[in-house]
Amino acid sequence: MTVLPILRWPDPRLSAVCDPVTEGEDLSALIADMFDTMYAAPGRGLAGPQVGVMKRLFIMDVTWKEGGRSPVACINPEILSRSEALAENEEACLSIPGVAARVARPSVIRMRWFDAAWQRQEAELTGFHAVCAQHESDHLDGRVIFDRVDPPTRGALVDAYEAQT
Ligand code: ZN
């Protein structure tokens, strides 16, 4: 079991765009460490750049806190479509501990990715699965929850975040 250090905003790596993973690259050890890190944090999602790996992969498990594990590893994820309907949810981030933001995002998405065994996967995601997948995909493009709220809200959230550190 290896728990990796989680980068904290405003580490510049959290604002950088990640590179695609070379197809077939064995990421199983990294993914295992990322799950150890996420469950220990504790969190429901973790993206490569949050542990300093500037590659397009993230993991998520949106059910484990309620009792059943459903780990998913997403390599080179692509969001194929987004619903026009939005849903607003309170989002926290392991890289921005202590604050949460209300973020509006498409409520349903279709996503394609490779799993840890390089099998192609595609699914329609709803509810918190859709929230988490979009939050983690944002990390791969250098975006965090602060980048998904209006400027006054961002200012208040950044002030609250910095006041506690
Ligand atoms: Zn995050």
Side-chain angles (χ1 to χ4, degrees):
M1 167 147 179
T2 305
V3 173
L4 305 168
I6 297 176
L7 302 184
R8 292 198 173 189
W9 192 89
D11 188 294
R13 286 168 285 183
L14 295 169
S15 300
V17 176
C18 294
D19 296 320
V21 180
T22 304
E23 202 164 326
E25 184 177 342
D26 181 8
L27 296 173
S28 51
L30 170 65
I31 287 169
D33 290 348
M34 286 176 68
F35 275 112
D36 289 344
T37 304
M38 184 189 77
Y39 289 127
R44 290 186 170 96
L46 186 69
Q50 291 182 279
V51 290
V53 176
M54 305 308 292
K55 293 179 179 177
R56 302 190 76 81
L57 84 150
F58 66 77
I59 59 165
M60 60 181 187
D61 184 338
V62 305
T63 59
W64 75 277
K65 287 187 179 179
E66 285 70 47
R69 288 196 177 190
S70 56
V72 179
C74 299
I75 301 171
N76 292 344
E78 286 176 83
I79 296 175
L80 304 174
S81 63
R82 298 168 170 83
S83 65
E84 282 183 30
L86 303 179
E88 193 176 273
N89 287 278
E90 188 98 338
E91 295 184 27
C93 180
L94 295 176
S95 293
I96 313 176
V99 300
R102 289 198 70 78
V103 180
R105 300 184 187 272
S107 55
V108 183
I109 61 168
R110 176 158 283 276
M111 189 172 77
R112 184 163 66 188
W113 70 96
F114 289 99
D115 64 20
W118 285 98
Q119 298 300 302
R120 202 177 257 298
Q121 305 289 338
E122 187 173 323
E124 184 174 273
L125 304 178
T126 62
F128 199 74
H129 290 88
V131 174
C132 192
Q134 290 176 87
H135 176 119
E136 301 310 329
S137 292
D138 268 358
H139 277 301
L140 308 183
D141 291 321
R143 280 194 295 265
V144 298
I145 50 176
F146 291 157
D147 303 310
R148 289 291 186 192
V149 295
D150 59 53
T153 303
R154 179 189 175 105
L157 289 169
V158 171
D159 285 350
Y161 175 67
E162 288 175 343
Q164 61 171 5
T165 50

